[in-house]
Coordinates of all heavy atoms in Angstrom, one line a residue:
A8 N -8.6 -0.8 -1.0 CA -9.7 -1.6 -1.5 C -10.4 -2.3 -0.4 O -9.8 -3.0 0.4 CB -9.3 -2.5 -2.6
K9 N -11.7 -2.1 -0.2 CA -12.5 -2.8 0.8 C -13.4 -3.8 0.1 O -13.9 -3.5 -1.0 CB -13.3 -1.8 1.6 CG -12.4 -0.8 2.4 CD -13.3 0.1 3.2 CE -12.4 1.1 3.9 NZ -13.2 2.1 4.6
P10 N -13.6 -4.9 0.7 CA -14.5 -5.9 0.1 C -15.9 -5.3 0.1 O -16.4 -4.7 1.0 CB -14.4 -7.1 1.0 CG -13.9 -6.7 2.3 CD -13.1 -5.4 2.0
C11 N -16.7 -5.8 -0.9 CA -18.1 -5.3 -1.1 C -18.9 -6.1 -0.1 O -18.8 -7.3 0.1 CB -18.6 -5.7 -2.5 SG -20.3 -5.3 -2.6
A12 N -19.7 -5.4 0.7 CA -20.6 -5.9 1.8 C -22.0 -6.2 1.2 O -22.8 -6.8 2.0 CB -20.5 -5.0 3.0
N13 N -22.3 -5.9 0.0 CA -23.6 -6.1 -0.6 C -24.8 -5.4 0.3 O -25.8 -6.0 0.4 CB -23.9 -7.6 -0.8 CG -23.1 -8.2 -1.9 OD1 -23.0 -7.6 -2.9 ND2 -22.3 -9.3 -1.6
Y14 N -24.5 -4.2 0.7 CA -25.4 -3.6 1.6 C -26.8 -3.4 0.8 O -27.9 -3.5 1.4 CB -25.0 -2.3 2.1 CG -23.9 -2.3 3.1 CD1 -22.6 -1.7 2.9 CD2 -24.0 -3.1 4.3 CE1 -21.6 -1.8 3.8 CE2 -23.0 -3.2 5.2 CZ -21.8 -2.5 4.9 OH -20.8 -2.6 5.9
V15 N -26.7 -3.0 -0.5 CA -27.9 -2.8 -1.3 C -28.7 -4.0 -1.4 O -29.9 -4.0 -1.3 CB -27.5 -2.0 -2.7 CG1 -28.7 -2.0 -3.5 CG2 -27.0 -0.7 -2.4
K16 N -28.0 -5.1 -1.7 CA -28.8 -6.4 -1.8 C -29.4 -6.8 -0.6 O -30.4 -7.3 -0.6 CB -27.7 -7.5 -2.3 CG -28.4 -8.7 -2.8 CD -27.5 -9.6 -3.6 CE -28.3 -10.7 -4.2 NZ -27.7 -11.2 -5.5
Q17 N -28.8 -6.5 0.5 CA -29.3 -6.9 1.8 C -30.6 -6.1 2.2 O -31.5 -6.6 2.8 CB -28.3 -6.7 2.9 CG -27.2 -7.7 2.8 CD -26.1 -7.5 4.0 OE1 -26.4 -7.0 5.0 NE2 -24.9 -7.8 3.7
C18 N -30.7 -4.9 1.7 CA -31.8 -4.1 2.2 C -32.6 -3.6 0.9 O -33.4 -2.7 1.1 CB -31.4 -2.9 2.9 SG -30.3 -1.7 2.1
G19 N -32.4 -4.3 -0.2 CA -33.1 -3.9 -1.4 C -34.6 -4.0 -1.3 O -35.3 -2.9 -1.9
Q20 N -35.2 -4.9 -0.7 CA -36.6 -4.9 -0.6 C -37.2 -3.8 0.3 O -38.1 -3.2 -0.2 CB -37.1 -6.3 0.0 CG -38.6 -6.4 0.2 CD -39.0 -7.8 0.7 OE1 -38.2 -8.6 1.0 NE2 -40.3 -7.9 0.8
Q21 N -36.5 -3.5 1.4 CA -37.0 -2.4 2.2 C -36.8 -1.0 1.5 O -37.7 -0.2 1.6 CB -36.2 -2.4 3.5 CG -36.5 -3.5 4.5 CD -35.7 -4.7 4.2 OE1 -34.8 -4.8 3.2 NE2 -35.9 -5.9 4.9
L22 N -35.7 -0.9 0.8 CA -35.5 0.4 0.0 C -36.6 0.5 -1.1 O -37.2 1.6 -1.3 CB -34.1 0.3 -0.7 CG -33.0 0.6 0.3 CD1 -31.6 0.4 -0.4 CD2 -33.0 2.0 0.8
C23 N -36.8 -0.6 -1.7 CA -37.9 -0.5 -2.8 C -39.2 -0.1 -2.2 O -40.0 0.7 -2.8 CB -38.0 -1.8 -3.6 SG -36.6 -2.0 -4.8
E24 N -39.6 -0.8 -1.2 CA -40.9 -0.5 -0.6 C -41.0 0.9 0.0 O -42.1 1.5 -0.3 CB -41.1 -1.5 0.7 CG -41.4 -3.0 0.3 CD -41.5 -3.9 1.4 OE1 -41.3 -3.5 2.5 OE2 -41.6 -5.1 1.2
L25 N -40.0 1.4 0.5 CA -40.0 2.8 1.0 C -40.1 3.8 -0.3 O -41.0 4.7 -0.3 CB -38.7 3.1 1.7 CG -38.5 4.6 2.2 CD1 -39.5 4.9 3.2 CD2 -37.1 4.8 2.6
L26 N -39.3 3.5 -1.3 CA -39.3 4.4 -2.4 C -40.7 4.3 -3.2 O -41.2 5.4 -3.5 CB -38.2 4.0 -3.4 CG -36.8 4.3 -2.9 CD1 -35.8 3.8 -3.8 CD2 -36.6 5.9 -2.8
L27 N -41.2 3.2 -3.3 CA -42.4 3.0 -4.0 C -43.7 3.5 -3.2 O -44.5 4.2 -3.8 CB -42.8 1.5 -4.4 CG -41.7 0.8 -5.3 CD1 -41.8 -0.7 -5.3 CD2 -42.0 1.4 -6.7

Side-chain angles (χ1 to χ4, degrees):
K9 296 180 182 178
C11 178
N13 290 312
Y14 293 125
V15 171
K16 192 167 189 152
Q17 292 177 29
C18 63
Q20 182 175 2
Q21 292 84 358
L22 285 171
C23 285
E24 288 174 3
L25 176 70
L26 291 168
L27 292 167

